[in-house]
C-alpha cells in the first residue's frame, strides 16, 4: 500500500528500512516520507514502530557468550595455505 503519495513510498519500503534498524527520522531522511504535505506521517510512524518492535535489531546482535568461528580444516591443510605461510616467514 502506498503510504506517502507525494513521494510514492510504500509500507513495504518503510518496513524494509525499519527492519534494517533505521529510526523514523532516518527513514524520513532516506525515503522522504512526511516531508511534503505531512499527511502520511502518522501512518509511516506506525509502520516503523510495528517493524521495529517485531524485529529488534539489538536483540539480533546480542549474545550471552561470545563464540569463536573455526576455519575449515580443508583451508588450513591445503598446499596454498602452507606455501603462503612459509613464504611469509622467509
Amino acid at each position: 500500500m502506498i503510504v506517502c503519495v507525494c513521494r510514492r513510498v510504500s509500507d513495504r519500503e518503510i518496513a524494509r528500512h525499519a527492519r534494517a534498524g533505521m529510526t523514523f527520522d532516518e527513514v524520513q531522511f532516506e525515503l522522504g516520507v512526511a516531508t511534503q504535505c505531512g499527511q502520511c506521517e502518522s501512518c509511516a510512524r506506525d509502520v516503523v514502530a510495528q517493524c521495529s518492535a517485531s524485529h529488534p535489531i539489538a536483540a539480533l546482535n546480542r549474545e550471552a557468550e561470545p563464540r569463536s568461528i573455526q576455519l575449515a580444516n580443508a583451508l588450513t591443510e591445503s598446499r596454498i595455505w602452507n606455501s603462503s605461510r612459509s613464504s611469509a616467514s622467509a
Side-chain angles (χ1 to χ4, degrees):
M1 158 181 89
I2 297 294
V3 172
C4 179
V5 176
C6 299
R7 296 288 183 155
R8 193 161 168 73
V9 179
S10 70
D11 58 339
R12 289 182 182 187
E13 287 177 276
I14 296 169
R16 185 176 36 152
H17 284 75
R19 286 188 195 113
M22 295 176 96
T23 64
F24 173 77
D25 292 338
E26 293 168 330
V27 172
Q28 185 179 36
F29 181 77
E30 185 73 23
L31 300 177
V33 296
T35 58
Q36 296 289 303
C37 73
Q39 293 295 312
C40 63
E41 184 174 354
S42 64
C43 184
R45 283 186 184 276
D46 288 344
V47 173
V48 170
Q50 288 173 359
C51 292
S52 297
S54 65
H55 293 87
I57 196 78
L60 295 175
N61 295 325
R62 190 179 311 150
E63 294 182 9
E65 301 176 15
R67 59 181 176 174
S68 60
I69 300 171
Q70 183 177 357
L71 291 175
N73 290 335
L75 175 65
T76 58
E77 295 170 358
S78 71
R79 286 186 293 139
I80 296 170
W81 173 265
N82 292 325
S83 66
S84 67
R85 290 183 66 202
S86 62
S87 65
S89 63

